[in-house]
Amino acid sequence: MNCIFCKKDSTNSKSVEHIIPESFGNKKHILKKGMVCDSCNKYFSTKIEKEVSELDFFTNIRFRNFIPSKKNRIPKGKAILPKTKYLAEVDLNKGIQVTLDSESFNLVEKGEITSLTVPYKYDYPKDNISVSRLLAKMAFEMLALRVIKTNKDLIDFVNEPQFDKIRNYVRSNPKNENWVYSSRKIYSENEKFYLKDGKSVDMIFECDFLPTNRQELYFVFVYKGIEFVINMAGSSIDGYLEWLKLHNDISPLYREGSNFGYDLTPEFLKNN
């Protein structure tokens, strides 16, 4: 077996590859041992995924929604103290631990501060090279998963030269590129998704591919209502923007006939 990124022999690799980072709440979308070698797996974990997971946007979404890391730890978050407006650090891993300044602490002791406000709005990353490379990594790995699920030969996938551009961008980025991607809000962070029996569930993330008339393939990833889209062929999203204009700006995940990839209906569609 050869690694789908570096193409080196990966027969003895011991790591499974999480297509979506574990810290994003992914437990199921996984590539078996050897599809991504241990060296590439470690590189992605330390050089790309770690940087993205530590961005304020992702840290605070995970904090607010109690999404643990692969070590089962919820990231620390921030909360604002009324009166003093102090931005306190909050740790939820052992009960609720709040780090206060002396002024806020004194007011808490006196009973003059009895609540915290958790900031809800953090700008989502719109031009971040680590986010771009993570999207490209997830896209390429999800495509590899589709290949093996259709029983196609992975050797041809590994050796296919048209994928070398995205492989190189993700694995080493020798040209120091920063592929453009789209990011926008398509539904609320607390959007309810309904099962056929009417019960509602939480949606952490969802993803799919969008082929366009330009012979492009886009990867669409939504995390707690924020949609990220990248072109697997390089730094252009013109085809995606053109597609949006033709489809009234609806997310490709919710285009007619897509079935969303799930037997779930989001509240914003249920109410239409």
Side-chain angles (χ1 to χ4, degrees):
M1 179 177 285
N2 294 87
C3 174
I4 63 173
F5 286 97
C6 67
K7 302 184 182 182
K8 295 178 181 178
D9 181 71
S10 56
T11 305
N12 296 320
S13 291
K14 299 178 180 179
S15 303
V16 297
E17 172 71 3
H18 286 75
I19 298 174
I20 315 297
E22 284 184 87
S23 60
F24 280 19
N26 173 39
K27 305 297 182 184
K28 296 181 179 179
H29 300 289
I30 297 172
L31 296 180
K32 63 182 181 180
K33 295 177 182 179
M35 288 187 67
V36 176
C37 71
D38 290 343
S39 177
C40 288
N41 181 290
K42 182 178 180 181
Y43 176 85
F44 299 147
S45 177
T46 58
K47 301 297 184 181
I48 299 179
E49 294 176 8
K50 185 176 185 294
E51 290 188 16
V52 174
S53 66
E54 291 178 351
L55 293 173
D56 282 346
F57 169 77
F58 290 106
T59 296
N60 283 281
I61 274 191
R62 291 172 54 217
F63 168 73
R64 292 195 300 269
N65 293 278
F66 310 104
I67 301 172
S69 67
K70 61 182 178 181
K71 294 182 179 179
N72 203 35
R73 290 188 61 81
I74 298 170
K76 294 178 181 179
K78 301 292 184 181
I80 300 172
L81 277 294
K83 293 193 174 183
T84 63
K85 304 301 181 184
Y86 179 71
L87 189 62
E89 184 179 81
V90 182
D91 188 342
L92 300 176
N93 290 289
K94 294 181 179 180
I96 301 177
Q97 298 180 355
V98 183
T99 303
L100 302 175
D101 66 338
S102 57
E103 181 185 6
S104 300
F105 180 80
N106 290 333
L107 291 176
V108 169
E109 274 199 319
K110 294 176 181 178
E112 295 182 28
I113 293 180
T114 58
S115 63
L116 300 170
T117 301
V118 177
Y120 207 80
K121 182 175 176 57
Y122 286 86
D123 291 336
Y124 42 88
K126 298 179 180 180
D127 182 27
N128 183 290
I129 188 171
S130 294
V131 171
S132 175
R133 293 177 70 198
L134 177 61
L135 290 170
K137 181 202 86 83
M138 294 191 298
F140 189 60
E141 291 180 351
M142 191 62 75
L143 188 61
L145 184 64
R146 295 278 180 96
V147 168
I148 61 174
K149 282 187 175 181
T150 56
N151 295 316
K152 292 184 178 179
D153 195 338
L154 196 61
I155 295 177
D156 292 338
F157 182 83
V158 170
N159 293 324
E160 177 54 60
Q162 70 171 319
F163 296 139
D164 286 344
K165 188 173 182 180
I166 192 170
R167 280 193 189 97
N168 292 334
Y169 178 59
V170 174
R171 183 59 181 89
S172 57
N173 196 18
K175 297 181 181 180
N176 196 30
E177 297 177 277
N178 186 5
W179 289 11
V180 65
Y181 60 90
S182 168
S183 56
R184 63 175 184 148
K185 182 177 180 178
I186 62 170
Y187 54 75
S188 167
E189 181 178 320
N190 296 319
E191 185 79 14
K192 292 181 179 179
F193 284 73
Y194 292 91
L195 299 166
K196 290 181 178 180
D197 62 6
K199 294 180 180 179
S200 65
V201 296
D202 185 37
M203 177 71 75
I204 298 177
F205 67 84
E206 49 185 329
C207 59
D208 202 353
F209 290 99
L210 170 70
T212 69
N213 293 332
R214 296 189 179 198
Q215 304 302 310
E216 298 170 325
L217 186 63
Y218 289 86
F219 178 66
V220 184
F221 175 71
V222 176
Y223 193 69
K224 296 302 291 181
I226 305 300
E227 177 198 75
F228 298 89
V229 180
I230 194 166
N231 186 347
M232 293 190 67
S235 187
S236 171
I237 56 172
D238 291 345
Y240 164 71
L241 297 176
E242 181 180 83
W243 187 93
L244 285 181
K245 288 182 180 179
L246 294 173
H247 296 83
N248 298 316
D249 285 333
I250 191 169
S251 171
L253 294 182
Y254 297 98
R255 64 191 185 274
E256 186 176 357
S258 68
N259 197 33
F260 325 138
Y262 312 91
D263 290 326
L264 298 171
T265 302
E267 190 166 32
F268 76 89
L269 284 182
K270 188 174 182 178
N271 292 335
N272 289 340

